[in-house]
Amino acid sequence: MSYLGLDLGATNVKGALVDDEGRVLAHASEPLGDGAAILSPAAVADALARVAQSCVRDWAAVRAVGVGAPGAIEGDAITGCANLFRGSQFPVPLAALVAARLRGKRVILVNDADAAALAERWVGAARGFERAAVLTLGTGVGCGLFLGGDAPLRDVEAGHASVGGAPGRPSPS
């Protein structure tokens, strides 16, 4: 069996097909291009599907599809995102939009930093640790955080945290 992971960023879509041990079997990426922030949910789902199709030859062997996306996630939808879907109505039902393009495969939507933390916990530097933090740095900043248990804490959203005082005012010492 294999697993397909798709990563939606503010500038690119990336994908990797991995085996049961987390070894990469295939990978692909596609730039979202200028104006990515205002792409429609359908256009983003199309880009994710194209990357998925580039990675997968045998859909029957794909056990699960996961999509990591920036912003706040509730269930199968993005409920808020600072750098994508500007002008679109939230929530964005991204999991359903992608599933419709992937032969009806069930798609699991998670925050991108949480997805990175889950991967590190499975086969990466956080393997075997009960507590771990994974920071993602790209167009935005994300944080996946484990404090025990099998799932990362939800809604850590480091990229949406205010640091210091009000805008334009120094932080009190």
Side-chain angles (χ1 to χ4, degrees):
M1 289 313 250
S2 57
Y3 305 88
L4 177 63
L6 298 169
D7 176 45
L8 172 60
T11 58
N12 293 284
V13 172
K14 299 174 184 168
L17 185 69
V18 300
D19 66 13
D20 289 325
E21 301 297 318
R23 292 180 294 246
V24 177
L25 305 172
H27 61 89
S29 66
E30 178 179 314
L32 291 174
D34 293 336
I38 59 170
L39 286 175
S40 70
V44 170
D46 288 343
L48 286 161
R50 284 191 299 273
V51 168
Q53 296 294 348
S54 295
C55 292
V56 177
R57 305 245 185 278
D58 179 11
W59 281 99
V62 176
R63 183 170 183 197
V65 177
V67 174
I73 310 291
E74 276 299 320
D76 292 340
I78 298 174
T79 57
C81 185
N83 54 5
L84 289 171
F85 307 118
R86 291 185 188 155
S88 295
Q89 181 76 21
F90 284 94
V92 172
L94 191 62
L97 291 170
V98 174
R101 290 158 173 80
L102 299 184
R103 305 170 192 232
K105 282 284 184 186
R106 180 157 188 265
V107 173
I108 299 163
L109 179 66
V110 297
N111 174 271
D112 55 353
D114 290 346
L118 286 163
E120 288 296 331
R121 189 83 182 275
W122 179 34
V123 294
R127 187 178 200 166
F129 288 92
E130 187 172 315
R131 296 172 182 222
V134 175
L135 297 178
T136 58
L137 304 172
T139 304
V141 177
C143 180
L145 186 62
F146 281 95
L147 295 177
D150 293 329
L153 290 179
R154 294 195 58 219
D155 301 324
V156 174
E157 290 306 318
H160 296 276
S162 295
V163 179
R169 297 168 67 196
S171 175
S173 304

